[in-house]
Amino acid sequence: MPEFQISTATLAMRAYANATMKGLLLPLSICTALQAQAADSDFQAAQRAAQSGNLTALDMYRQQMQDSVLAPYPEYWQLNKDLVLQPADAIRDFADRYPNAAISEKLLGDYIEAKARAGDYASIRQVSSRLTNPDSDESCAVAQATATGGDVLALSSLRNDVWLKTGKISDLCSTIADQLLSSPLISDDDRVQRLRTMLRAGLVNRALPVASRLNIPLDSSKLASIATSPSIYLASAPIATLQDQMYYFYALGQLATDSPDAVNDQLTRDQSRLPPATLQYGYRILAMAYATNIMKFGFDQRVVTWFDRSIGMPFSDEEAEAYARTAIRFSQWNSLLRALDAMGIEKQNERIWRYWFARATEQRGDAQGKQVSKTFYTALATDDDYYGLLARDKLGLAFSELPPSYQPSSTDYRRMQNDIHFQRAFALRAINADPQYANREWNWAVRQASLKQDDGMILAAADQANKISWFDRAIYAAERTSTLHNDRLRYLTPFRDLTEKYSKQIGLDPAWVYGLIRQESRFVINARSNVGAGGLMQVMPSTARWVAARIGEPFRAAQLGDMDTNIRYGTFYLNHIFGQLGGQAVLATAGYNAGPLRAKRWQPPSFPLAADQYTETIPFLETRDYVKKVMTNAVHYGLIFNQGQQSLSARMGTIAVQNSEEIVGP
């Protein structure tokens, strides 16, 4: 395209601007078509120039696209080249010319992370005020930059995110805890708790700086020797000094990774010579070894007792949550209340733990306990998420009709069509741009509308996205309204003929199948997971091959992308799992996500279990969350399909005792 040719982008944007100034409201389909035609050749060509490193061509497209809604992108790609070398002024200038834009936020975030890795905190301080929605890494980078600028208290806001966390922490956040060691808000008791926690988890690199700060000389070579033979060390381990006790804790943690029962025996032998606090934390180590390795050691009621014996030592939120879930599994309601009491205030206020506080308090059976639980259930029941629906059931509140749906007005549509953020999102969608760009613009547009509390505009956008089959973004938007809602947009039913046809043919509840599809793919036909599952029902190739063999037809991997085949195979496999797991929907849902053999292993061995208890103690976070969402979705789809009054508790039922029948299938 010649450098000085007026691009299609310019002509189309001028036409749109003229119509807007004259008070004309062009149909969004026309606007989107104009934007698509406008942006297609220029945007795609600019992206190719960026990918090939052709900065001269990229600058040409930057000039040609200056009147396009997608104008920021060529310049973004220019600045993103050798981003860490860019001066802060250039990044700040871009953000100021495109204020509150998704691509500005992306550039700012990436720049801040790059500069943090380079140790250039001065540049971060020059741009950080323009970042409005930082993720975890960006928050850590900004906090470090602020702290190095003289505000040492800036790190304290991230304390709960890093101080007692033993799981994976990103590079940019991993140093925050070490920097917090010198914070005036951190006491020596806090430091000792971190030291114990890191030694329990075997995180020597995180433990040593704390020990140094506390003047507790821990030798890395001795720790390595203990890790090689913890049982030998423990046979004659001294415990007289704080240093001795820390070596002792480390040895217990190392032994517990392979043989927690040996730790139990060791604590029994040592209980008469150990200081009370040392013995208490020893049982904490033992309890955590079991509670965090259920796939290896299984569920064990002794864990509740071990946690109980560790009361008196402060809990991290990780430890308190593990304690709570173990107590839930074995219906140890008093222990659950102790676990909840050990959590931090923010953790206690999460909906999950407010629900379980009500469940545990309810078990007291006295009038006060019933009143307290009712108060908590009532507060939870104002929402229709998983815990809100369970709370409704506890209160005996019928869930028998969809809430009133707000229908966007012409004014709502006009605001949406004139909103630059939604314009960019729809333009990128129309030209089939990389979803990373289109989805980011969409999510950002929804966020900006949410900040303005403009539910009408959000639902107008969701409705339009639904009309152009952008189903996942329609759901994303409709889920994020605060006061005006539309359940038929939140719980879309595309491909209904096929889904109902194959569900009913095989005897499955279409509401449940839809609940599963919504969670699996959000109705994105070509969805592909990082493990190779594909299509609406995210069927694995190996599963599809097995299904094809069972129903007697040839299989090719490309068939997973065919909507008809995907739903047919997915419902067949779901029904197979359902039968294998005793016709129990919660078990089958867990089995569809994690495998039916795992779902069966998680069944109780000797007594039936309430389904909410089973679900809350699923060892995999992903599967635990998946089951909750699928079953919640099914309740809403039940209303949409006019199935009458819905009860989440009734749908979930009770989990029967594990039987000896073999699981057959992939």
Side-chain angles (χ1 to χ4, degrees), residues 39-51 53-55 58-59 61-62 65 70-83 86 94 103 106-107 428 431 433-434 436-437 440:
D40 193 359
S41 59
D42 288 351
F43 181 89
Q44 306 288 15
Q47 187 175 17
R48 288 193 296 272
Q51 291 168 345
N54 188 340
L55 298 183
L58 193 56
D59 189 60
Y61 291 116
R62 179 184 64 79
M65 290 178 64
L70 303 181
Y73 279 88
E75 187 175 356
Y76 163 78
W77 287 320
Q78 284 180 315
L79 290 169
N80 210 42
K81 178 72 174 174
D82 298 322
L83 181 60
Q86 298 291 345
F94 181 89
I103 203 66
K106 173 65 174 169
L107 183 67
L428 288 166
I431 65 174
D434 190 321
Q436 69 167 309
Y437 296 118
R440 182 186 298 120

Side-chain angles (χ1 to χ4, degrees), residues 537-549:
M537 295 192 71
Q538 289 291 279
V539 181
M540 290 289 291
S542 58
T543 300
R545 194 171 291 108
W546 179 85
V547 171

Side-chain angles (χ1 to χ4, degrees), residues 117-328:
R117 291 189 174 94
D120 182 0
Y121 295 116
S123 291
I124 294 175
R125 290 194 294 273
Q126 292 182 56
V127 303
S128 60
S129 63
R130 289 160 174 79
L131 187 69
T132 62
N133 188 36
D135 63 18
S136 176
D137 278 353
E138 293 157 7
S139 294
C140 288
V142 170
Q144 291 181 61
T146 306
T148 57
D151 183 1
V152 295
L153 300 182
L155 301 173
S156 61
S157 63
L158 296 171
R159 173 175 171 169
N160 290 342
D161 297 327
V162 299
W163 184 248
L164 296 176
K165 290 290 179 70
T166 61
K168 185 177 181 181
I169 300 176
S170 69
D171 293 342
L172 290 180
C173 292
S174 61
T175 59
I176 294 286
D178 288 342
Q179 291 172 301
L180 277 169
L181 286 173
S182 58
S183 170
L185 298 179
I186 299 295
S187 68
D188 277 350
D189 286 343
D190 294 329
R191 296 181 181 98
V192 169
Q193 185 183 9
R194 174 170 168 80
L195 178 56
R196 282 194 303 258
T197 303
M198 297 305 123
L199 290 173
R200 168 182 65 73
L203 300 172
V204 173
N205 289 340
R206 297 187 197 177
L208 289 177
V210 195
S212 176
R213 173 75 187 192
L214 289 166
N215 294 316
I216 301 174
L218 295 184
D219 181 76
S220 58
S221 60
K222 182 171 182 176
L223 290 169
S225 175
I226 291 172
T228 301
S229 302
S231 58
I232 293 176
Y233 175 80
L234 287 166
S236 58
I239 47 86
T241 67
L242 190 55
Q243 177 193 40
D244 293 336
Q245 291 165 27
M246 294 304 163
Y247 282 130
Y248 184 83
F249 291 148
Y250 181 70
L252 289 179
Q254 292 298 296
L255 182 59
T257 59
D258 293 318
S259 183
D261 280 334
V263 172
N264 187 36
D265 294 340
Q266 185 70 45
L267 290 172
T268 301
R269 288 193 297 270
D270 289 347
Q271 61 182 338
S272 61
R273 74 185 188 100
L274 292 176
T278 304
L279 181 62
Q280 287 168 345
Y281 200 73
Y283 279 113
R284 178 75 51 79
I285 292 170
L286 173 58
M288 286 298 290
Y290 260 101
T292 57
N293 286 282
I294 292 170
M295 294 301 297
K296 184 175 182 178
F297 301 123
F299 294 100
D300 193 321
Q301 189 163 353
R302 294 178 300 169
V303 177
V304 182
T305 302
W306 294 331
F307 270 123
D308 287 344
R309 290 177 182 174
S310 77
I311 293 289
M313 298 297 286
F315 280 79
S316 69
D317 280 344
E318 284 180 353
E319 293 166 349
E321 284 193 289
Y323 184 13
R325 284 201 164 86
T326 309
I328 289 168

